[in-house]
């Protein structure tokens, strides 16, 4: 059924909040290279890219999508180095190497950051947002179908990747982590749109944190392979990583139930919902 007037307004508010939040943080990261700002920008980038498939149904988003991905990727290694430094700062020799590597990455990123969110990028992004919002009001039924179809795709891909997980294959865990991020950030959008109660998704971040910790251990283990005299430390990290990977796989049924429950609730809300009392339903 078509989106109601209240629902359209909620979707528009949520999309506007994501886009303008990204643009604000993008402006900040051009001059502020603190770990917090870098973290905030990476999260905002993923949140923006999570809504790009929706906006792309009404406009060509290629220009700003490619650039936002490129800027996000430019920060991946810097973020990993900063995480390792927070863990190994007490080991002087390793901390020194990390500090030098971080300085090098910061120097490279400073050159990249000057290109972030220039006027043309902002215009293209805001135009995509406006095109989608106009189309949403013009045809609420199509808008509802677009959101439902996108959710179904993300949910199906996440569940399919979860089914492939093998604790002995870290690469499969990484692939699931990528899919789960898309699942989480789209789900959070639906919470903002009031399509699902936020109390129902309190555990969504927990699973991403676990996957992130496993990824960080793998990155640290691989990086330490370049540093002489770290074999015992690498073995320790590997044991931690294997234990966490096995624990995550064993908890897979709990995660599957969580995803199934959320998926069922979202689909029910989008397919069979009734307009709220006092709301107006648009027709095309």
């Amino acid at each position: 059924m078509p989106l109601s007037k209240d629902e359209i307004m909620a979707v528009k508010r949520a999309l506007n909040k994501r886009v303008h939040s990204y643009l604000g943080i993008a402006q900040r990261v051009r001059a502020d290279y603190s770990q917090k700002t870098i973290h905030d920008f990476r999260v905002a980038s993923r949140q923006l890219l999570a809504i790009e498939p929706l906006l792309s149904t009404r406009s060509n988003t290629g220009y700003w999508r490619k650039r936002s991905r490129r800027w996000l990727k430019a920060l991946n290694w810097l973020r990993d180095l900063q995480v390792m430094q927070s863990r190994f700062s007490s080991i002087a020799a390793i901390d020194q190497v990390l500090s030098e590597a971080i300085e090098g990455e910061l120097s490279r990123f400073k050159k990249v950051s000057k290109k972030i969110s220039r006027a043309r990028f902002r215009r293209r992004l805001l135009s995509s947002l406006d095109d989608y919002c106009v189309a949403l009001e013009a045809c609420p039924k199509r808008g509802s179908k677009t959101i439902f179809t996108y959710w179904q795709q993300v949910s199906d891909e996440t569940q399919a990747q979860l089914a492939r997980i093998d604790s002995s294959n870290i690469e499969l865990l990484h692939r699931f982590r990528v899919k789960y991020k898309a699942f989480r950030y789209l789900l959070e959008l639906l919470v903002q749109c009031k399509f699902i109660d936020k109390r129902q998704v309190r555990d969504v971040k927990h699973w991403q944190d676990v996957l992130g910790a496993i990824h960080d251990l793998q990155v640290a283990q691989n990086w330490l392979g370049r540093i002489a005299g770290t074999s015992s430390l690498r073995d320790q990290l590997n044991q931690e990583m294997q234990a966490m990977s096995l624990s995550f796989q064993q908890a897979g049924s709990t995660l599957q139930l969580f995803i199934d429950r959320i998926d069922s609730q979202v689909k029910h809300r989008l397919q069979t919902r009734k307009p709220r009392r006092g709301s107006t339903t648009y027709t095309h």
Side-chain angles (χ1 to χ4, degrees), residues 4-11 13 276-280 282:
S4 70
K5 181 178 180 179
D6 290 345
E7 288 170 334
I8 287 177
M9 292 302 297
V11 172
R13 281 195 299 269
R276 296 178 182 176
R277 182 178 299 176
S279 68
T280 303
Y282 284 111

Side-chain angles (χ1 to χ4, degrees), residues 71 78 83 192 197 251:
W71 299 330
L78 176 58
V83 169
Q192 290 179 311
D197 193 304

Side-chain angles (χ1 to χ4, degrees), residues 80-230:
D80 288 341
L81 288 169
Q82 289 175 332
V83 169
M84 285 190 288
Q85 187 176 50
S86 66
R87 177 168 184 140
F88 302 127
S89 59
S90 62
I91 307 176
I94 296 178
D95 183 62
Q96 181 179 352
V97 176
L98 283 169
S99 295
E100 293 173 356
I102 288 172
E103 284 301 314
E105 282 299 302
L106 279 173
S107 178
R108 281 187 283 275
F109 179 68
K110 286 177 182 179
K111 297 176 182 178
V112 173
S113 70
K114 304 309 177 185
K115 301 178 182 180
I116 292 178
S117 191
R118 286 178 171 175
R120 187 181 181 190
F121 174 88
R122 294 195 300 271
R123 286 197 304 270
R124 292 288 190 91
L125 175 54
L126 291 172
S127 177
S128 292
L129 173 64
D130 186 58
D131 288 346
Y132 183 81
C133 290
V134 169
L136 194 62
E137 292 204 23
C139 191
K141 185 175 182 180
R142 181 187 298 168
S144 178
K145 183 178 180 181
T146 299
I147 294 171
F148 176 81
T149 300
Y150 179 35
W151 167 261
Q152 189 166 38
Q153 175 189 340
V154 170
S155 178
D156 289 350
E157 289 178 354
T158 303
Q159 294 190 67
Q161 197 62 54
L162 176 60
R164 299 188 186 103
I165 283 182
D166 179 348
S167 62
S168 64
N169 190 327
I170 296 298
E171 178 59 29
L172 290 177
L173 275 176
H174 174 68
R175 292 177 187 174
F176 174 71
R177 177 170 166 262
V178 172
K179 294 296 182 183
Y180 188 76
K181 283 181 181 180
F183 176 86
R184 175 196 170 185
Y185 291 128
L186 177 56
L187 180 58
E188 288 179 345
L189 177 73
L190 298 183
V191 169
Q192 290 179 311
C193 296
K194 311 298 183 184
F195 288 134
I196 189 168
D197 193 304
K198 64 180 180 181
R199 291 173 295 182
Q200 301 297 319
V201 299
R202 283 177 293 188
D203 293 333
V204 68
K205 184 176 181 294
H206 164 74
W207 298 104
Q208 186 174 330
D209 288 344
V210 173
L211 289 163
I214 295 171
H215 171 75
D216 291 341
L217 286 168
Q218 181 190 24
V219 170
Q221 184 188 2
N222 291 341
W223 181 81
L224 285 170
R226 311 172 190 176
I227 310 298
T230 62

